[in-house]
Amino acid sequence: MKKLIPVMIILICCLLTGCGSPHMPIEDCAWRLQDAVMDSPDRYNQIAVDYDRKGDEPVEGVNYIICTLEAGDGGFTIRDKTNDLTFSGTYKLISSDRNAIVYLIDIGGVIGSAVSSALYYSDGAQTKTLTVSIGGYTLNFHEMK
């Protein structure tokens, strides 16, 4: 029994270090665009929405697209599969805590930021999110499942 107690303490400590730590690095999953917004000081200007959210009544002026983001080794690629467009860039870790990771991003000399975090629901479920802000636009991605 005396030998079992230290083993149990070590096991509990190891398990607790992973609890409540929703680290979600940009390269840990593939991302799918949920919506894109053009930054405007006077109004919310949604310009694109995930194609699967089109529904029965499309909104005039909003593009329904399939767009993904994949990252790794300091680089990332955004693919607009609907319009056959590709954008590539680089990312660098700026800061990290247990709630979010902040990156500096660069697409063709245009500097912006990206923040990965988690969205928690009342039923305890969570969705990994990635928000990219660059060149007057904000792109909101969710983990592709």
Side-chain angles (χ1 to χ4, degrees):
M1 182 70 175
K2 288 182 181 182
K3 290 182 180 180
L4 186 59
I5 292 175
V7 172
M8 289 177 60
I9 291 173
I10 291 171
L11 181 60
I12 290 171
C13 289
C14 289
L15 291 173
L16 288 178
T17 58
C19 291
S21 179
H23 248 237
M24 59 284 313
I26 191 172
E27 60 273 342
D28 275 6
C29 60
W31 304 93
R32 182 155 173 169
L33 182 77
Q34 294 302 300
D35 70 345
V37 178
M38 187 165 61
D39 298 338
S40 173
D42 51 333
R43 68 185 182 101
Y44 181 77
N45 193 11
Q46 189 175 43
I47 58 170
V49 173
D50 179 50
Y51 186 82
D52 289 345
R53 294 174 54 196
K54 189 172 185 177
D56 296 329
E57 297 182 34
V59 177
E60 186 177 335
V62 173
N63 296 303
Y64 293 88
I65 65 174
I66 297 172
C67 185
T68 61
L69 184 148
E70 293 183 2
D73 298 324
F76 67 92
T77 302
I78 297 173
R79 288 187 176 85
D80 174 349
K81 296 178 179 183
T82 304
N83 298 301
D84 196 28
L85 298 170
T86 301
F87 305 91
S88 295
T90 60
Y91 65 93
K92 178 182 171 185
L93 177 68
I94 297 298
S95 67
S96 173
D97 65 25
R98 68 178 298 261
N99 297 312
I101 303 173
V102 180
Y103 301 92
L104 178 71
I105 62 169
D106 181 333
I107 300 177
V110 179
I111 305 298
S113 64
V115 178
S116 63
S117 61
L119 179 63
Y120 294 93
Y121 300 95
S122 60
D123 66 358
Q126 80 173 29
T127 299
K128 294 179 181 179
T129 64
L130 177 68
T131 301
V132 174
S133 298
I134 190 165
Y137 296 91
T138 300
L139 310 172
N140 297 300
F141 292 89
H142 286 186
E143 176 183 22
M144 204 166 25
K145 296 184 181 188

